[in-house]
Amino acid sequence: MGGLSIIAPWIAPYGYETQNLELKAVPPQLSWNTMQAVYGRCTLEQARTNAEQLGGALGKIENAQVAALLHGTIDERDYGETMWVSDWQGAGPKRIEISSDGFTPLDDAGDEATFLYLHSRAHWLGTDELGRDLFTRLLYGGRVSLMVGLCATSVSLTIGVLFGAVAGYFGGRTDDLMMRFVDVLYALPFTIFVILLTVIFERNIWNLFLAIGAVEWLTMSRIVRGQVLTLRQQEFIEAAIALGIPRWRIIWRHIIPNCLGPVIVYTTLTIPVVMLLEAFLSFLGLGVQPPMSSWGLLIRDGSKVLEEFPWLMIFPGSVLAATLFSLNFLGDGLRDALDVRISKD
Amino acid sequence: MWKLIAFRLLKAIPVLLIVATLTFFMLRLTKGGPFDQEKPIQDEAIRKQLLAHYGMDKPLGSQYLDFITNLAQGDLGPSFKHQGRQVNEVIAEAFPRSAELGLWSLAVAMALGLAAGLIASLKKNSFLDYCPMALAMIGICVPTFVMGPLLILSFSLELEWFNASGWNSFKDRILPALTLGGAYAAYIARLTRGGMLEVLSQDYIRTAHAKGASPARVILHHGLRGGLLPVVAFLGPAAAGLLAGSFVVETIFQIPGLGRHFVEAAFNRDYTMVTGTVLFFATLIILFNLIVDVVQIWLNPRLRST
């Protein structure tokens, strides 16, 4: 799912803002062939019989299909055409007329009209109550979630590595001061601070990255500091100092590349944490703002209409859980493979 | 021991002061105050009086001074949105509910986590190990805000065993506590398993067995004491996590607790309420960390010298 999200614009069947009000809250459907079979003109009774002959297809002739038809195949030649369709709630066939502004239901049920039967245009995971395709929104939401995961992690990576490297390299009083600062921040309730930050600054996505990144760098800086402290004792650093290489260059070219192992491992473990935080914020309504979508936001929307349309909650939830699982799995695997010990304190 | 506690409590004061100052100024830096609503207050006189009532017409510096002085006396000021009520009152009313939720969740987490972890560690590499550990992995990967609605869906809407929301009877406590405690039960199970496996392979366990102590006593008395250390260390971060989780769980189950008040206050720019709750949360977390440290020292004599 995550991989698919990256190429979302190319594979998504609909735009993420595309609404189709006739397709409100359609359950998941897997029939993706837009087959249409137009039968001749017939009366209401015949329409019913036809529908029954198609294997209970009466329920399948929905406004949804008409709407799909309107989108896909109807052009000016069809204006004035009448046809039988059934309500999506399953009410019996109704006669409607196609006109330039959509279709209008007609009352005179006695007349003949074209009987039309077609399969749904596919909404693999159904649509939400505003008629937006859930699969599409999941894909676009995945882009946001992954982007937050990567960007916020790189923000935290940058701050954490630099802070840790500087503290570790200079040691002594600088180190003390910087690490006390980290201690103080550690004592603060983080999620609360992120919420504060998102409240204070405008809720756009870049601020979200910054807010999350700004609070997730602490552990990283501790890990890097620990590594740097041991590296600093080694001969090649001494040699570099003896060669008169400036400090920042030593830190940048010699120290940081040498503590990459644990950093990479911890980074992979940070990404799921950050994504979870984003989803958490979006769930509370403090993260990504509609009409954009993110997995957290989709879960929030889904949980509001849980009783009526459970799929709106279940699919985003499982996608998020699966992604978190994969990332955690990757992180754990890398950690075991590289045999890095990350102290939890 | 007492010296440590006293020292830690002293250290908490500057931390809280920093938190208070940061939140105070950060909130005042925002565009839009508590009285800028969709329908702005037209009457300039009313507006002025409102601002004066809440002391918001003074310069920022003296507002800050007032705030700190009141804070030192334990007064968090009047709430902007809950009309005519003090932040203290709101917190005092909402906190017991949140605390109860937290305690139930912690109980769920400890009970489920310890049991699962113990069984898994005793029956290593068997079905009884893989099954709880797979469940734990699921528990970790399914966030509370997915778990909560799913539990509601299955137990309240389909099976109709519980109410979907509310906070009236004991039955109403079960689903929120499961939701919130479930994830931590998963972590605790993994930590318990890891800790117990490490401890059970040590020499003193073999000695205990050899001197004829019953298996139950070896595991519960000798084993758990060492095996629980990572779990106890985890409880500090877990408390912070439970707090954050309570925002979500209280929103899902519509429990009028402190977490919901905080989120609502954040939306409404209710400055005093936000500052008050943040400070309250910070104090709670500091206290909890302190308790955890004390318990750790009590469990692990090696830490006592330091």
Side-chain angles (χ1 to χ4, degrees):
Chain A
M1 192 73 209
L4 284 183
S5 295
I6 297 169
I7 52 167
W10 291 279
I11 56 170
Y14 312 97
Y16 72 95
E17 282 179 301
T18 307
Q19 276 189 11
N20 207 331
L21 287 174
E22 281 75 42
L23 289 160
K24 275 184 228 165
V26 176
Q29 297 166 330
L30 268 178
S31 51
W32 51 76
N33 48 338
T34 323
M35 183 192 107
Q36 61 182 83
V38 183
Y39 293 71
R41 297 177 70 76
C42 56
T43 59
L44 175 64
E45 270 317 302
Q46 287 166 320
R48 250 195 207 122
T49 335
N50 275 339
E52 267 159 24
Q53 276 170 358
L54 285 164
L58 195 68
K60 281 189 185 168
I61 312 169
E62 299 164 356
N63 272 359
Q65 279 79 41
V66 176
L69 187 76
L70 285 174
H71 272 244
T73 58
I74 287 189
D75 54 23
E76 281 158 8
R77 279 171 304 174
D78 299 306
Y79 293 160
E81 184 78 72
T82 51
M83 54 184 169
W84 294 109
V85 289
S86 87
D87 246 346
W88 74 273
Q89 282 98 343
K94 267 189 191 143
R95 218 162 71 101
I96 59 157
E97 185 184 359
I98 303 168
S99 56
S100 52
D101 52 354
F103 55 91
T104 35
L106 300 174
D107 285 331
D108 46 345
D111 290 350
E112 284 191 346
T114 305
F115 175 69
L116 183 108
Y117 168 70
L118 31 82
H119 277 296
S120 83
R121 190 152 149 170
H123 287 287
W124 293 3
L125 304 181
T127 57
D128 65 8
E129 80 257 54
L130 294 176
R132 293 173 295 193
D133 181 51
L134 182 61
F135 182 63
T136 309
R137 287 184 61 76
L138 263 182
L139 289 178
Y140 277 95
R143 282 160 72 83
V144 172
S145 297
L146 289 175
M147 197 155 80
V148 171
L150 292 179
C151 292
T153 306
S154 40
V155 170
S156 80
L157 188 72
T158 320
I159 305 179
V161 168
L162 280 181
F163 199 90
V166 169
Y169 184 76
F170 287 102
R173 184 165 292 177
T174 328
D175 179 34
D176 254 5
L177 206 70
M178 289 172 88
M179 282 300 126
R180 282 304 78 74
F181 180 62
V182 171
D183 284 347
V184 168
L185 286 183
Y186 249 109
L188 301 181
F190 270 131
T191 334
I192 295 171
F193 248 78
V194 183
I195 292 179
L196 266 185
L197 285 174
T198 52
V199 168
I200 287 159
F201 299 109
E202 270 174 72
R203 278 179 217 143
N204 71 35
I205 192 165
W206 300 105
N207 284 337
L208 193 67
F209 296 159
L210 285 181
I212 297 179
V215 297
E216 281 293 340
W217 55 272
L218 297 178
T219 315
M220 180 68 83
S221 73
R222 281 198 178 176
I223 293 170
V224 172
R225 172 178 168 269
Q227 285 283 310
V228 173
L229 279 182
T230 48
L231 278 178
R232 209 161 58 106
Q233 313 295 329
Q234 298 194 359
E235 286 84 358
F236 72 95
I237 298 295
E238 234 172 275
I241 295 172
L243 281 171
I245 296 171
R247 272 177 183 165
W248 62 268
R249 208 179 144 77
I250 297 180
I251 293 182
W252 189 247
R253 291 297 296 273
H254 300 277
I255 302 258
I256 291 183
N258 274 299
C259 39
L260 270 187
V263 168
I264 289 173
V265 171
Y266 188 70
T267 308
T268 37
L269 287 174
T270 310
I271 295 175
V273 174
V274 166
M275 286 179 69
L276 191 62
L277 201 55
E278 182 273 330
F280 172 84
L281 287 173
S282 295
F283 181 82
L284 290 177
L286 295 166
V288 178
Q289 297 296 304
M292 255 215 200
S293 79
S294 90
W295 290 343
L297 206 62
L298 288 174
I299 293 171
R300 168 192 168 85
D301 291 345
S303 64
K304 282 183 190 156
V305 289
L306 192 59
E307 198 167 355
E308 301 92 336
F309 322 120
W311 65 88
L312 290 181
M313 155 82 222
I314 292 172
F315 287 120
S318 10
V319 166
L320 178 66
T323 310
L324 291 179
F325 172 76
S326 324
L327 287 170
N328 274 323
F329 207 70
L330 180 71
D332 283 348
L334 271 181
R335 185 183 55 196
D336 294 344
L338 298 176
D339 195 27
V340 180
R341 287 199 152 241
I342 293 172
S343 60
K344 277 277 176 187
D345 57 354
Chain B
M1 180 68 92
W2 293 112
K3 225 165 121 187
L4 173 97
I5 295 174
F7 179 68
R8 289 283 297 269
L9 285 179
L10 270 180
K11 224 172 79 176
I13 294 174
V15 172
L16 285 179
L17 204 64
I18 292 173
V19 177
T21 314
L22 267 180
T23 32
F24 180 87
F25 283 108
M26 278 186 355
L27 283 174
R28 259 115 188 124
L29 277 177
T30 19
K31 282 179 262 167
F35 305 115
D36 302 327
Q37 294 147 335
E38 283 169 55
K39 271 191 291 177
I41 300 162
Q42 296 296 340
D43 196 335
E44 202 49 38
I46 296 181
R47 204 185 155 75
K48 270 195 181 134
Q49 211 171 0
L50 250 178
L51 288 180
H53 177 69
Y54 291 109
M56 283 180 52
D57 51 347
K58 294 185 207 160
L60 200 60
S62 65
Q63 274 187 50
Y64 176 67
L65 274 185
D66 284 352
F67 165 68
I68 292 293
T69 337
N70 284 336
L71 189 65
Q73 295 160 1
D75 180 10
L76 296 168
S79 163
F80 288 151
K81 287 282 153 146
H82 298 264
Q83 274 169 10
R85 298 185 68 190
Q86 298 289 315
V87 174
N88 293 29
E89 285 172 36
V90 178
I91 291 182
E93 185 197 85
F95 176 62
R97 300 195 193 108
S98 298
E100 201 192 330
L101 171 64
L103 286 180
W104 280 119
S105 312
L106 205 59
V108 167
M110 289 297 277
L112 287 182
L114 281 183
L118 265 181
I119 292 172
S121 67
L122 294 179
K123 305 273 176 204
K124 197 185 161 201
N125 291 340
S126 73
F127 177 73
L128 279 176
D129 179 13
Y130 296 136
C131 196
M133 284 306 117
L135 272 181
M137 198 65 211
I138 294 174
I140 287 173
C141 289
V142 180
T144 43
F145 48 87
V146 176
M147 190 59 102
L150 281 183
L151 285 179
I152 292 186
L153 185 65
S154 41
F155 291 107
S156 324
L157 300 180
E158 292 294 324
L159 297 172
E160 299 189 354
W161 288 353
F162 304 102
N163 296 329
S165 60
W167 192 246
N168 302 313
S169 62
F170 174 72
K171 261 173 88 179
D172 291 345
R173 267 73 165 165
I174 297 176
L175 282 189
L178 266 182
T179 310
L180 194 47
Y184 294 96
Y187 281 109
I188 289 177
R190 282 165 61 125
L191 288 171
T192 314
R193 180 177 175 272
M196 283 306 279
L197 281 182
E198 203 174 316
V199 167
L200 287 182
S201 63
Q202 288 193 355
D203 289 344
Y204 70 87
I205 296 293
R206 205 181 331 142
T207 314
H209 274 300
K211 77 177 185 189
S214 70
R217 192 177 154 77
V218 173
I219 290 160
L220 294 181
H221 184 81
H222 300 269
L224 259 190
R225 202 166 162 154
L228 272 190
L229 282 177
V231 177
V232 175
F234 172 69
L235 285 183
L242 280 178
L243 266 183
S246 73
F247 304 159
V248 166
V249 172
E250 284 173 13
T251 310
I252 296 175
F253 291 93
Q254 301 181 358
I255 302 164
L258 204 51
R260 244 180 103 199
H261 276 300
F262 172 65
V263 176
E264 269 165 28
F267 266 117
N268 293 335
R269 303 197 185 286
D270 189 341
Y271 291 163
T272 41
M273 192 71 206
V274 169
T275 324
T277 29
V278 166
L279 278 175
F280 190 74
F281 285 143
T283 322
L284 269 186
I285 288 184
I286 291 173
L287 273 183
F288 210 86
N289 277 330
L290 178 61
I291 296 173
V292 166
D293 282 359
V294 170
V295 173
Q296 258 181 310
I297 292 174
W298 174 66
L299 275 176
N300 187 357
R302 272 173 296 183
L303 287 174
R304 258 172 226 170
S305 53
T306 52

